[in-house]
C-alpha cells in the first residue's frame, strides 16, 4: 500500500462535516466505521465513544487545512506535528496481498498502528498520510474548496498546482456562477452605455436649440 493512500483518511474524516451547510454525517458508530473503508478489522474496533473522539480529531485536521489555505505553513506543520506526537505509528515493510508474476512479494511501506481505541488508530494513519503528502508536495497542496458555501478539503495533485475545488460538481457550479456574474456585468455596462448615449443626445439637441 502506497503511503500517499493514507492521506485520504484525513480528507474523508474532515469532509464528514460541512459546517457552512450545517451538515454532519458523523453521528453514529456506523458512520465512524464507514470511514475506515476496506479496513474492516479496524472498523470493528469502533464504539459509540469514538463518535465524539473522531469529531475532536476532525476539528484538528481541518485546522491544518485552514492554516495551509491561509498560507500559514508554520501553523499547519505545528498542528500536524501535534497530532503525530499524540497518535504515533510504526512504519513497517510489508508484502501482504501483493505479488509479482513470479509470486514474490512486492515490498512496500505499511503503517502499523497500535491503538488503544479506533480513534487513535484512524488518527495515527490520517496524520501520517497527511504528513507524507505535505512533505512530498508542499503545504500549498492542502486545499479548501473555493466554491461557496462548500468548504470541503482536498489534496491537490495537479501538475501545475491549479486545483481550486473539491469536486467536478463544485467546479461546474463555480464556473456557472462566474459566467452569470459576467453576463450581469456586461448587461449593466451595456445599459449604462445606452443611458449615457441617450443623455448625450438630449444634451446635444438642447444645445442646438
Amino acid at each position: 500500500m502506497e503511503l500517499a493512500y493514507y492521506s485520504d483518511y484525513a480528507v474523508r474524516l474532515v469532509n464528514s462535516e460541512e459546517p457552512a451547510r450545517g451538515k454532519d454525517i458523523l453521528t453514529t458508530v456506523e458512520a465512524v466505521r464507514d470511514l475506515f473503508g476496506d479496513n474492516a478489522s479496524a472498523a470493528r474496533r469502533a464504539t459509540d465513544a469514538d463518535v465524539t473522539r473522531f469529531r475532536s480529531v476532525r476539528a484538528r485536521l481541518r485546522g491544518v487545512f485552514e492554516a495551509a489555505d491561509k498560507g500559514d505553513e508554520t501553523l499547519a506543520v505545528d498542528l500536524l506535528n501535534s497530532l503525530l506526537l499524540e497518535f504515533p505509528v510504526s512504519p513497517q515493510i510489508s508484502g501482504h496481498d501483493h505479488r509479482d508474476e513470479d509470486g514474490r512479494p512486492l515490498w512496500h511501506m505499511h503503517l502499523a498502528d497500535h491503538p488503544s481505541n479506533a480513534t487513535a488508530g484512524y488518527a495515527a494513519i490520517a496524520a501520517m498520510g497527511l504528513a507524507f503528502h505535505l512533505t512530498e508536495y508542499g503545504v500549498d497542496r492542502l486545499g479548501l474548496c473555493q466554491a461557496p458555501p462548500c468548504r470541503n478539503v482536498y489534496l491537490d495533485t495537479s501538475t501545475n498546482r491549479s486545483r481550486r475545488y473539491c469536486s467536478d460538481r463544485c467546479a461546474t457550479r463555480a464556473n456557472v456562477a462566474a459566467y452569470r456574474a459576467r453576463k450581469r456585468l456586461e448587461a449593466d455596462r451595456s445599459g449604462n452605455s445606452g443611458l449615457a448615449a441617450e443623455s448625450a443626445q438630449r444634451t446635444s439637441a438642447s444645445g442646438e436649440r
Side-chain angles (χ1 to χ4, degrees), residues 191-202:
N192 291 335
S193 297
L195 291 174
E198 184 178 329
S199 176
Q201 289 177 352
R202 287 198 299 268

Side-chain angles (χ1 to χ4, degrees), residues 110-207:
H110 174 78
L111 299 182
D113 60 289
H114 307 285
S116 55
N117 54 65
T119 302
Y122 193 101
I125 292 174
M128 183 61 75
L130 198 57
F132 277 116
H133 190 93
L134 185 153
T135 54
E136 180 70 19
Y137 300 106
V139 177
D140 57 342
R141 294 295 189 129
L142 278 57
L144 286 176
C145 187
Q146 300 301 303
C150 182
R151 296 297 279 170
N152 278 352
V153 304
Y154 62 86
L155 300 172
D156 185 3
T157 57
S158 63
T159 55
N160 56 356
R161 299 173 184 265
S162 60
R163 185 170 178 180
R164 295 293 178 270
Y165 308 105
C166 68
S167 65
D168 290 340
R169 184 185 66 169
C170 277
T172 299
R173 184 160 54 84
N175 289 334
V176 169
Y179 173 79
R180 290 175 177 172
R182 287 196 301 270
K183 286 299 182 182
R184 285 194 297 269
L185 181 60
E186 291 172 2
D188 290 343
R189 287 175 176 172
S190 178
N192 291 335
S193 297
L195 291 174
E198 184 178 329
S199 176
Q201 289 177 352
R202 287 198 299 268
T203 301
S204 177
S206 176

